[in-house]
Amino acid sequence: MSDRIYNFNAGPAALPLSVLEEIQASFLNFKGSGMSITEVSHRSKWFDDVINDAVARTKRLLKLDDSYEVLFLQGGASMQFCMIPMNFLNNNETADYVNTGTWSTKAIKEAEILGKPIKVVASSEDKDFSYIPKNIPFNSDAKFVHLTSNNTIKGTQWAEFPDTQSIPQVIDMSSDIMSRKLDMSSIGMIYAGAQKNIGPSGVCMVIIRKDMLNMVPETLPSMLKYTTFAAKNSMYNTPPCFGIYTIQLVMKWIEETIGGLDKMEQLNIEKAGVLYKAIDDSDFYRATAAEDSRSLMNVTFRLPSEDLEKQFVAEALENSFGGLKGHRSVGGCRASIYNPTTREAINALVDFMKTFEQKNG
Amino acid sequence: MSDRIYNFNAGPAALPLSVLEEIQASFLNFKGSGMSITEVSHRSKWFDDVINDAVARTKRLLKLDDSYEVLFLQGGASMQFCMIPMNFLNNNETADYVNTGTWSTKAIKEAEILGKPIKVVASSEDKDFSYIPKNIPFNSDAKFVHLTSNNTIKGTQWAEFPDTQSIPQVIDMSSDIMSRKLDMSSIGMIYAGAQKNIGPSGVCMVIIRKDMLNMVPETLPSMLKYTTFAAKNSMYNTPPCFGIYTIQLVMKWIEETIGGLDKMEQLNIEKAGVLYKAIDDSDFYRATAAEDSRSLMNVTFRLPSEDLEKQFVAEALENSFGGLKGHRSVGGCRASIYNPTTREAINALVDFMKTFEQKNG
């Protein structure tokens, strides 16, 4: 499709072209049902096959055994910010939160709104969230440790997660889920709004270790407790069918086209490497995240002046590179290069950056 | 599309073919953006145009003035069941609920889980929810009256809403929103999972009178209070973009192809009329809802025996009529005939029913 742009949006973001083409081709008649995927009943065999395959592929990709449930919720990661303390903190129980930026801050805020006595045990706010904290003093009475694995806005990412001993980690992976291999041994729950690496907006993947479900109070409203979703294969009520279907196709793409998470990770390291190298080799572009905390998903950088940044984003757009403006809260430039972003797109961007530097450097 | 079936699903349900075709045609390149609607940023002009047009058309269709907000949430009507008492009942404030079936029962249950002292002021449970109660004794101290406008399972519908004096009505219209004209004068809030009359699953329309927002406690989690969505044009966090886009197209279809809610209502009355007449004219089929409470959306009926019902559903399916099995909780047959169901589909179904009766009656 020559009329498609190079999409570096932070989310909603690019999806694999082959996935979009499959959705398009079957949009009026899904799998011989005579209906669109948007029209089939969630209680039908057609949709059962979709959701079960999405779950099975997710489990295979992450090598999850039967001690984990893969669930699909609504409301994005933002809804998880309140559901997590509601589900896992009873009475005066506490949890440790690490603050690595905007999304961590919001997660902390929602726990505090609920009156939960959580502790912020580390923060990189002192340096404008440009790094990932080290040597964190976790509290042994914490029911969980909350982490945000990747900061889309400042372009930082946990290279590896901290040692929290036996305390389960609850990790917001909205912006890097399925982008790399994952050691699940300390993870109690992962959650991710789909709209960056694995699907469209409107569906949130939750992977939860079954023993975490024992912490959920019976007294919560049905739609706010994980047990409701776990008991009904995410279909206590009508799920976001189109989003789950798209996730299924993206998981299939990772498994069958890319070749699994090892390959996905390798590709993502390569892609980010090419872009960071272009930035580091230049005196014109400057990466903003601390080197050991750089994100493989969101590459944030500055130009010598704000005027040049504006010009860069505008000329990029004219040349079919979309989404390169930094988040409105921080300015600068950002290339979001999630799973679906191709090597070709990265190479084209690097070429454009070099040309721009030659003309304006 | 000759390979599409006549879709009588209860929800997710049929969508207008022209809407599906427009989604399909622009799926790889939305409005010249070079991106799919699933890939454009919710902070872009492309999506702004979508959500603003969806809101504007909804307001025009329902003749809403500026005292109403049109919002898009996630979690379906089921999430509203808990949000409503959370948002509108402080401390020991009370509300009146009318129980007309499964969905009302669930709404009542969630209010009770939250410990709210609500009152069930009328119920049709005594006759298996086959009718809509009359002469209901509402309590003057009720903060709102909760109604379910249409019971998809039993096939009943409020022909007109009761007089609740100055008490605002909060109405679950998941299965009949935009199917008929609406007098908003007593309505404080409408909510509707989109997947029956106006869109795909995964987005819930909430129309709220602005003074209702004054009742919302500041202390609720951000994603659980209506004020959060009202303050940010439903974009406090990433909204369900694909669902909102589909709703926009369905609203455009109602306005421009059908010709507005007067015409939509007239068409729905005609469609249901043809089907109920075929049932009433026969001694073989039997309608299950009380005559004055019959739904224009879900036509529930029985055949002389359960065996014949099974045979009817199976033969219908062979003849490209899908979704005619009654809800698993009640059995029998049901034809869900929401806005997108065509007169042609109704006529074809009636012909099939007559042929089936001739062969088996």
Side-chain angles (χ1 to χ4, degrees), chain B residues 235-275:
Chain B
M235 293 192 284
Y236 168 75
N237 73 333
T238 316
C241 298
F242 177 80
I244 295 170
Y245 164 55
T246 309
I247 288 178
Q248 180 212 5
L249 295 183
V250 173
M251 294 301 148
K252 186 176 166 210
W253 173 80
I254 297 175
E255 261 198 312
E256 298 181 6
T257 304
I258 298 297
L261 282 192
D262 286 5
K263 293 278 175 59
M264 193 79 255
E265 174 170 335
Q266 193 184 319
L267 179 58
N268 284 326
I269 290 171
E270 272 176 45
K271 282 155 49 187
V274 168
L275 194 44

mmCIF file of all heavy atoms in Angstrom, chain B residues 235-275:
data_model
loop_
_atom_site.group_PDB
_atom_site.id
_atom_site.type_symbol
_atom_site.label_atom_id
_atom_site.label_comp_id
_atom_site.label_asym_id
_atom_site.label_seq_id
_atom_site.Cartn_x
_atom_site.Cartn_y
_atom_site.Cartn_z
ATOM 1 N N MET B 235 -12.032 11.521 26.498
ATOM 2 C CA MET B 235 -10.646 11.145 26.199
ATOM 3 C C MET B 235 -9.692 11.467 27.349
ATOM 4 O O MET B 235 -8.604 11.984 27.141
ATOM 5 C CB MET B 235 -10.204 11.786 24.890
ATOM 6 C CG MET B 235 -10.983 11.187 23.713
ATOM 7 S SD MET B 235 -10.322 11.613 22.089
ATOM 8 C CE MET B 235 -10.904 13.296 21.937
ATOM 9 N N TYR B 236 -10.104 11.152 28.579
ATOM 10 C CA TYR B 236 -9.175 11.210 29.709
ATOM 11 C C TYR B 236 -8.054 10.211 29.466
ATOM 12 O O TYR B 236 -6.884 10.507 29.661
ATOM 13 C CB TYR B 236 -9.921 10.872 31.002
ATOM 14 C CG TYR B 236 -9.024 10.616 32.189
ATOM 15 C CD1 TYR B 236 -8.385 11.672 32.836
ATOM 16 C CD2 TYR B 236 -8.809 9.317 32.658
ATOM 17 C CE1 TYR B 236 -7.558 11.434 33.919
ATOM 18 C CE2 TYR B 236 -7.986 9.076 33.748
ATOM 19 C CZ TYR B 236 -7.367 10.134 34.371
ATOM 20 O OH TYR B 236 -6.543 9.891 35.451
ATOM 21 N N ASN B 237 -8.437 9.028 29.012
ATOM 22 C CA ASN B 237 -7.437 8.060 28.541
ATOM 23 C C ASN B 237 -7.823 7.635 27.125
ATOM 24 O O ASN B 237 -8.784 8.164 26.550
ATOM 25 C CB ASN B 237 -7.303 6.864 29.500
ATOM 26 C CG ASN B 237 -8.479 5.926 29.434
ATOM 27 O OD1 ASN B 237 -9.588 6.334 29.086
ATOM 28 N ND2 ASN B 237 -8.262 4.671 29.773
ATOM 29 N N THR B 238 -7.100 6.711 26.540
ATOM 30 C CA THR B 238 -7.374 6.328 25.158
ATOM 31 C C THR B 238 -8.758 5.693 25.065
ATOM 32 O O THR B 238 -9.021 4.690 25.736
ATOM 33 C CB THR B 238 -6.318 5.328 24.651
ATOM 34 O OG1 THR B 238 -5.029 5.778 25.059
ATOM 35 C CG2 THR B 238 -6.363 5.230 23.139
ATOM 36 N N PRO B 239 -9.638 6.255 24.269
ATOM 37 C CA PRO B 239 -10.995 5.700 24.171
ATOM 38 C C PRO B 239 -11.016 4.509 23.207
ATOM 39 O O PRO B 239 -10.032 4.246 22.515
ATOM 40 C CB PRO B 239 -11.794 6.872 23.597
ATOM 41 C CG PRO B 239 -10.810 7.585 22.726
ATOM 42 C CD PRO B 239 -9.454 7.427 23.405
ATOM 43 N N PRO B 240 -12.144 3.790 23.158
ATOM 44 C CA PRO B 240 -12.279 2.675 22.213
ATOM 45 C C PRO B 240 -12.570 3.237 20.815
ATOM 46 O O PRO B 240 -13.724 3.341 20.389
ATOM 47 C CB PRO B 240 -13.454 1.876 22.780
ATOM 48 C CG PRO B 240 -14.266 2.869 23.535
ATOM 49 C CD PRO B 240 -13.321 3.927 24.032
ATOM 50 N N CYS B 241 -11.499 3.599 20.106
ATOM 51 C CA CYS B 241 -11.628 4.398 18.877
ATOM 52 C C CYS B 241 -12.449 3.700 17.795
ATOM 53 O O CYS B 241 -13.297 4.325 17.158
ATOM 54 C CB CYS B 241 -10.239 4.736 18.327
ATOM 55 S SG CYS B 241 -9.255 5.740 19.455
ATOM 56 N N PHE B 242 -12.192 2.426 17.575
ATOM 57 C CA PHE B 242 -12.901 1.720 16.510
ATOM 58 C C PHE B 242 -14.413 1.696 16.784
ATOM 59 O O PHE B 242 -15.230 1.901 15.885
ATOM 60 C CB PHE B 242 -12.362 0.291 16.358
ATOM 61 C CG PHE B 242 -13.098 -0.510 15.333
ATOM 62 C CD1 PHE B 242 -12.824 -0.363 13.985
ATOM 63 C CD2 PHE B 242 -14.098 -1.404 15.715
ATOM 64 C CE1 PHE B 242 -13.529 -1.092 13.027
ATOM 65 C CE2 PHE B 242 -14.798 -2.134 14.766
ATOM 66 C CZ PHE B 242 -14.516 -1.977 13.419
ATOM 67 N N GLY B 243 -14.772 1.463 18.026
ATOM 68 C CA GLY B 243 -16.194 1.427 18.387
ATOM 69 C C GLY B 243 -16.863 2.779 18.204
ATOM 70 O O GLY B 243 -17.982 2.869 17.687
ATOM 71 N N ILE B 244 -16.174 3.840 18.599
ATOM 72 C CA ILE B 244 -16.744 5.186 18.460
ATOM 73 C C ILE B 244 -16.892 5.535 16.976
ATOM 74 O O ILE B 244 -17.888 6.126 16.552
ATOM 75 C CB ILE B 244 -15.876 6.217 19.209
ATOM 76 C CG1 ILE B 244 -15.914 5.917 20.716
ATOM 77 C CG2 ILE B 244 -16.345 7.641 18.928
ATOM 78 C CD1 ILE B 244 -14.915 6.714 21.550
ATOM 79 N N TYR B 245 -15.910 5.133 16.192
ATOM 80 C CA TYR B 245 -15.977 5.360 14.732
ATOM 81 C C TYR B 245 -17.191 4.648 14.137
ATOM 82 O O TYR B 245 -17.949 5.224 13.330
ATOM 83 C CB TYR B 245 -14.674 4.856 14.115
ATOM 84 C CG TYR B 245 -14.662 4.652 12.625
ATOM 85 C CD1 TYR B 245 -15.010 5.679 11.744
ATOM 86 C CD2 TYR B 245 -14.271 3.430 12.086
ATOM 87 C CE1 TYR B 245 -14.963 5.479 10.365
ATOM 88 C CE2 TYR B 245 -14.215 3.233 10.715
ATOM 89 C CZ TYR B 245 -14.568 4.251 9.859
ATOM 90 O OH TYR B 245 -14.520 4.055 8.508
ATOM 91 N N THR B 246 -17.413 3.399 14.539
ATOM 92 C CA THR B 246 -18.564 2.663 14.007
ATOM 93 C C THR B 246 -19.869 3.338 14.423
ATOM 94 O O THR B 246 -20.804 3.465 13.626
ATOM 95 C CB THR B 246 -18.531 1.197 14.472
ATOM 96 O OG1 THR B 246 -17.245 0.645 14.186
ATOM 97 C CG2 THR B 246 -19.585 0.375 13.757
ATOM 98 N N ILE B 247 -19.925 3.785 15.679
ATOM 99 C CA ILE B 247 -21.122 4.506 16.131
ATOM 100 C C ILE B 247 -21.345 5.753 15.272
ATOM 101 O O ILE B 247 -22.468 6.051 14.863
ATOM 102 C CB ILE B 247 -20.999 4.889 17.624
ATOM 103 C CG1 ILE B 247 -21.130 3.638 18.499
ATOM 104 C CG2 ILE B 247 -22.054 5.927 18.008
ATOM 105 C CD1 ILE B 247 -20.983 3.900 19.993
ATOM 106 N N GLN B 248 -20.270 6.470 14.998
ATOM 107 C CA GLN B 248 -20.412 7.660 14.147
ATOM 108 C C GLN B 248 -21.085 7.302 12.815
ATOM 109 O O GLN B 248 -22.017 7.983 12.364
ATOM 110 C CB GLN B 248 -19.036 8.277 13.879
ATOM 111 C CG GLN B 248 -19.107 9.524 12.983
ATOM 112 C CD GLN B 248 -17.880 9.695 12.095
ATOM 113 O OE1 GLN B 248 -16.990 8.834 12.058
ATOM 114 N NE2 GLN B 248 -17.819 10.798 11.394
ATOM 115 N N LEU B 249 -20.623 6.213 12.213
ATOM 116 C CA LEU B 249 -21.175 5.820 10.913
ATOM 117 C C LEU B 249 -22.631 5.362 11.030
ATOM 118 O O LEU B 249 -23.440 5.610 10.133
ATOM 119 C CB LEU B 249 -20.319 4.713 10.288
ATOM 120 C CG LEU B 249 -18.884 5.101 9.918
ATOM 121 C CD1 LEU B 249 -18.185 3.922 9.240
ATOM 122 C CD2 LEU B 249 -18.846 6.327 9.012
ATOM 123 N N VAL B 250 -22.963 4.697 12.144
ATOM 124 C CA VAL B 250 -24.352 4.269 12.323
ATOM 125 C C VAL B 250 -25.251 5.490 12.528
ATOM 126 O O VAL B 250 -26.366 5.556 11.998
ATOM 127 C CB VAL B 250 -24.482 3.259 13.487
ATOM 128 C CG1 VAL B 250 -25.947 2.956 13.785
ATOM 129 C CG2 VAL B 250 -23.738 1.963 13.157
ATOM 130 N N MET B 251 -24.764 6.481 13.269
ATOM 131 C CA MET B 251 -25.548 7.707 13.475
ATOM 132 C C MET B 251 -25.767 8.422 12.141
ATOM 133 O O MET B 251 -26.847 8.941 11.864
ATOM 134 C CB MET B 251 -24.830 8.650 14.446
ATOM 135 C CG MET B 251 -24.721 8.120 15.857
ATOM 136 S SD MET B 251 -26.340 7.774 16.588
ATOM 137 C CE MET B 251 -25.897 6.406 17.627
ATOM 138 N N LYS B 252 -24.717 8.431 11.327
ATOM 139 C CA LYS B 252 -24.832 9.041 9.996
ATOM 140 C C LYS B 252 -25.868 8.279 9.158
ATOM 141 O O LYS B 252 -26.690 8.875 8.455
ATOM 142 C CB LYS B 252 -23.453 8.989 9.322
ATOM 143 C CG LYS B 252 -23.362 9.710 8.001
ATOM 144 C CD LYS B 252 -21.922 9.670 7.475
ATOM 145 C CE LYS B 252 -21.882 10.079 6.012
ATOM 146 N NZ LYS B 252 -20.793 9.448 5.271
ATOM 147 N N TRP B 253 -25.840 6.979 9.267
ATOM 148 C CA TRP B 253 -26.801 6.130 8.536
ATOM 149 C C TRP B 253 -28.231 6.430 9.005
ATOM 150 O O TRP B 253 -29.139 6.585 8.186
ATOM 151 C CB TRP B 253 -26.423 4.664 8.761
ATOM 152 C CG TRP B 253 -27.384 3.643 8.231
ATOM 153 C CD1 TRP B 253 -27.506 3.212 6.945
ATOM 154 C CD2 TRP B 253 -28.366 2.919 8.992
ATOM 155 N NE1 TRP B 253 -28.497 2.266 6.856
ATOM 156 C CE2 TRP B 253 -29.040 2.062 8.085
ATOM 157 C CE3 TRP B 253 -28.740 2.907 10.342
ATOM 158 C CZ2 TRP B 253 -30.067 1.201 8.503
ATOM 159 C CZ3 TRP B 253 -29.753 2.055 10.756
ATOM 160 C CH2 TRP B 253 -30.408 1.216 9.845
ATOM 161 N N ILE B 254 -28.431 6.546 10.323
ATOM 162 C CA ILE B 254 -29.788 6.852 10.820
ATOM 163 C C ILE B 254 -30.228 8.233 10.325
ATOM 164 O O ILE B 254 -31.351 8.418 9.857
ATOM 165 C CB ILE B 254 -29.855 6.787 12.370
ATOM 166 C CG1 ILE B 254 -29.559 5.370 12.868
ATOM 167 C CG2 ILE B 254 -31.229 7.249 12.856
ATOM 168 C CD1 ILE B 254 -29.483 5.241 14.392
ATOM 169 N N GLU B 255 -29.313 9.202 10.393
ATOM 170 C CA GLU B 255 -29.673 10.566 9.965
ATOM 171 C C GLU B 255 -29.898 10.652 8.465
ATOM 172 O O GLU B 255 -30.904 11.199 8.015
ATOM 173 C CB GLU B 255 -28.525 11.531 10.321
ATOM 174 C CG GLU B 255 -28.750 12.318 11.585
ATOM 175 C CD GLU B 255 -27.841 13.550 11.676
ATOM 176 O OE1 GLU B 255 -26.619 13.424 11.441
ATOM 177 O OE2 GLU B 255 -28.375 14.633 11.983
ATOM 178 N N GLU B 256 -28.946 10.127 7.692
ATOM 179 C CA GLU B 256 -28.940 10.428 6.263
ATOM 180 C C GLU B 256 -29.600 9.356 5.407
ATOM 181 O O GLU B 256 -30.223 9.674 4.396
ATOM 182 C CB GLU B 256 -27.494 10.670 5.798
ATOM 183 C CG GLU B 256 -26.886 11.870 6.520
ATOM 184 C CD GLU B 256 -25.462 12.183 6.086
ATOM 185 O OE1 GLU B 256 -24.959 11.554 5.135
ATOM 186 O OE2 GLU B 256 -24.852 13.064 6.733
ATOM 187 N N THR B 257 -29.467 8.102 5.797
ATOM 188 C CA THR B 257 -30.062 7.036 4.975
ATOM 189 C C THR B 257 -31.500 6.762 5.416
ATOM 190 O O THR B 257 -32.412 6.701 4.598
ATOM 191 C CB THR B 257 -29.213 5.746 5.057
ATOM 192 O OG1 THR B 257 -27.878 6.058 4.665
ATOM 193 C CG2 THR B 257 -29.766 4.660 4.138
ATOM 194 N N ILE B 258 -31.682 6.610 6.729
ATOM 195 C CA ILE B 258 -33.038 6.350 7.242
ATOM 196 C C ILE B 258 -33.854 7.645 7.263
ATOM 197 O O ILE B 258 -35.026 7.650 6.909
ATOM 198 C CB ILE B 258 -32.965 5.730 8.659
ATOM 199 C CG1 ILE B 258 -32.225 4.385 8.620
ATOM 200 C CG2 ILE B 258 -34.358 5.572 9.257
ATOM 201 C CD1 ILE B 258 -32.880 3.306 7.793
ATOM 202 N N GLY B 259 -33.247 8.740 7.703
ATOM 203 C CA GLY B 259 -33.960 10.020 7.725
ATOM 204 C C GLY B 259 -34.352 10.487 9.121
ATOM 205 O O GLY B 259 -35.295 11.263 9.277
ATOM 206 N N GLY B 260 -33.646 9.996 10.143
ATOM 207 C CA GLY B 260 -33.902 10.475 11.509
ATOM 208 C C GLY B 260 -34.690 9.486 12.346
ATOM 209 O O GLY B 260 -35.089 8.413 11.876
ATOM 210 N N LEU B 261 -34.910 9.855 13.613
ATOM 211 C CA LEU B 261 -35.538 8.920 14.559
ATOM 212 C C LEU B 261 -37.030 8.714 14.300
ATOM 213 O O LEU B 261 -37.568 7.652 14.596
ATOM 214 C CB LEU B 261 -35.307 9.373 16.000
ATOM 215 C CG LEU B 261 -33.922 9.085 16.583
ATOM 216 C CD1 LEU B 261 -33.923 9.312 18.092
ATOM 217 C CD2 LEU B 261 -33.472 7.656 16.282
ATOM 218 N N ASP B 262 -37.715 9.732 13.752
ATOM 219 C CA ASP B 262 -39.126 9.525 13.391
ATOM 220 C C ASP B 262 -39.238 8.363 12.408
ATOM 221 O O ASP B 262 -40.047 7.445 12.593
ATOM 222 C CB ASP B 262 -39.697 10.776 12.714
ATOM 223 C CG ASP B 262 -39.949 11.898 13.705
ATOM 224 O OD1 ASP B 262 -39.594 11.727 14.886
ATOM 225 O OD2 ASP B 262 -40.480 12.935 13.282
ATOM 226 N N LYS B 263 -38.420 8.438 11.393
ATOM 227 C CA LYS B 263 -38.442 7.406 10.356
ATOM 228 C C LYS B 263 -37.943 6.069 10.900
ATOM 229 O O LYS B 263 -38.464 5.014 10.557
ATOM 230 C CB LYS B 263 -37.547 7.841 9.171
ATOM 231 C CG LYS B 263 -38.063 9.054 8.406
ATOM 232 C CD LYS B 263 -39.127 8.657 7.410
ATOM 233 C CE LYS B 263 -39.745 9.860 6.705
ATOM 234 N NZ LYS B 263 -38.748 10.653 5.970
ATOM 235 N N MET B 264 -36.927 6.125 11.741
ATOM 236 C CA MET B 264 -36.385 4.890 12.333
ATOM 237 C C MET B 264 -37.475 4.199 13.149
ATOM 238 O O MET B 264 -37.663 2.979 13.052
ATOM 239 C CB MET B 264 -35.182 5.253 13.229
ATOM 240 C CG MET B 264 -34.332 4.079 13.673
ATOM 241 S SD MET B 264 -33.187 3.476 12.408
ATOM 242 C CE MET B 264 -34.002 1.983 11.877
ATOM 243 N N GLU B 265 -38.190 4.986 13.943
ATOM 244 C CA GLU B 265 -39.268 4.432 14.776
ATOM 245 C C GLU B 265 -40.372 3.817 13.913
ATOM 246 O O GLU B 265 -40.841 2.707 14.175
ATOM 247 C CB GLU B 265 -39.847 5.539 15.662
ATOM 248 C CG GLU B 265 -41.066 5.094 16.452
ATOM 249 C CD GLU B 265 -41.503 6.100 17.505
ATOM 250 O OE1 GLU B 265 -40.659 6.899 17.962
ATOM 251 O OE2 GLU B 265 -42.686 6.081 17.876
ATOM 252 N N GLN B 266 -40.743 4.557 12.884
ATOM 253 C CA GLN B 266 -41.796 4.091 11.976
ATOM 254 C C GLN B 266 -41.396 2.756 11.343
ATOM 255 O O GLN B 266 -42.185 1.807 11.306
ATOM 256 C CB GLN B 266 -41.977 5.163 10.915
ATOM 257 C CG GLN B 266 -43.213 5.051 10.054
ATOM 258 C CD GLN B 266 -43.182 6.158 8.988
ATOM 259 O OE1 GLN B 266 -42.803 7.301 9.260
ATOM 260 N NE2 GLN B 266 -43.560 5.793 7.769
ATOM 261 N N LEU B 267 -40.159 2.688 10.914
ATOM 262 C CA LEU B 267 -39.657 1.454 10.301
ATOM 263 C C LEU B 267 -39.658 0.307 11.312
ATOM 264 O O LEU B 267 -40.073 -0.824 11.005
ATOM 265 C CB LEU B 267 -38.236 1.700 9.765
ATOM 266 C CG LEU B 267 -37.516 0.520 9.115
ATOM 267 C CD1 LEU B 267 -38.316 -0.038 7.940
ATOM 268 C CD2 LEU B 267 -36.120 0.946 8.632
ATOM 269 N N ASN B 268 -39.219 0.610 12.540
ATOM 270 C CA ASN B 268 -39.175 -0.445 13.556
ATOM 271 C C ASN B 268 -40.574 -0.936 13.930
ATOM 272 O O ASN B 268 -40.781 -2.122 14.188
ATOM 273 C CB ASN B 268 -38.413 0.044 14.799
ATOM 274 C CG ASN B 268 -36.903 0.054 14.560
ATOM 275 O OD1 ASN B 268 -36.384 -0.804 13.850
ATOM 276 N ND2 ASN B 268 -36.210 1.027 15.135
ATOM 277 N N ILE B 269 -41.532 0.001 13.981
ATOM 278 C CA ILE B 269 -42.928 -0.396 14.266
ATOM 279 C C ILE B 269 -43.452 -1.297 13.149
ATOM 280 O O ILE B 269 -44.085 -2.333 13.408
ATOM 281 C CB ILE B 269 -43.822 0.857 14.442
ATOM 282 C CG1 ILE B 269 -43.470 1.573 15.758
ATOM 283 C CG2 ILE B 269 -45.309 0.479 14.416
ATOM 284 C CD1 ILE B 269 -44.139 2.926 15.943
ATOM 285 N N GLU B 270 -43.169 -0.908 11.921
ATOM 286 C CA GLU B 270 -43.590 -1.726 10.774
ATOM 287 C C GLU B 270 -42.983 -3.123 10.824
ATOM 288 O O GLU B 270 -43.679 -4.121 10.649
ATOM 289 C CB GLU B 270 -43.105 -1.076 9.473
ATOM 290 C CG GLU B 270 -44.042 -0.061 8.866
ATOM 291 C CD GLU B 270 -43.385 0.576 7.631
ATOM 292 O OE1 GLU B 270 -42.803 -0.166 6.807
ATOM 293 O OE2 GLU B 270 -43.434 1.809 7.551
ATOM 294 N N LYS B 271 -41.666 -3.172 11.039
ATOM 295 C CA LYS B 271 -40.957 -4.448 11.047
ATOM 296 C C LYS B 271 -41.530 -5.381 12.113
ATOM 297 O O LYS B 271 -41.865 -6.544 11.844
ATOM 298 C CB LYS B 271 -39.461 -4.222 11.315
ATOM 299 C CG LYS B 271 -38.670 -3.740 10.118
ATOM 300 C CD LYS B 271 -37.404 -2.966 10.509
ATOM 301 C CE LYS B 271 -36.549 -3.661 11.533
ATOM 302 N NZ LYS B 271 -35.415 -2.810 12.003
ATOM 303 N N ALA B 272 -41.642 -4.858 13.339
ATOM 304 C CA ALA B 272 -42.167 -5.686 14.431
ATOM 305 C C ALA B 272 -43.612 -6.067 14.145
ATOM 306 O O ALA B 272 -44.041 -7.200 14.423
ATOM 307 C CB ALA B 272 -42.048 -4.939 15.755
ATOM 308 N N GLY B 273 -44.363 -5.141 13.566
ATOM 309 C CA GLY B 273 -45.772 -5.391 13.258
ATOM 310 C C GLY B 273 -45.943 -6.583 12.324
ATOM 311 O O GLY B 273 -46.797 -7.454 12.544
ATOM 312 N N VAL B 274 -45.137 -6.616 11.301
ATOM 313 C CA VAL B 274 -45.203 -7.718 10.334
ATOM 314 C C VAL B 274 -44.927 -9.054 11.022
ATOM 315 O O VAL B 274 -45.629 -10.051 10.809
ATOM 316 C CB VAL B 274 -44.181 -7.482 9.183
ATOM 317 C CG1 VAL B 274 -44.016 -8.736 8.327
ATOM 318 C CG2 VAL B 274 -44.611 -6.293 8.334
ATOM 319 N N LEU B 275 -43.940 -9.055 11.904
ATOM 320 C CA LEU B 275 -43.545 -10.299 12.557
ATOM 321 C C LEU B 275 -44.581 -10.746 13.602
ATOM 322 O O LEU B 275 -44.982 -11.915 13.645
ATOM 323 C CB LEU B 275 -42.158 -10.111 13.189
ATOM 324 C CG LEU B 275 -41.389 -11.332 13.645
ATOM 325 C CD1 LEU B 275 -41.433 -12.463 12.619
ATOM 326 C CD2 LEU B 275 -39.941 -10.956 13.932
#
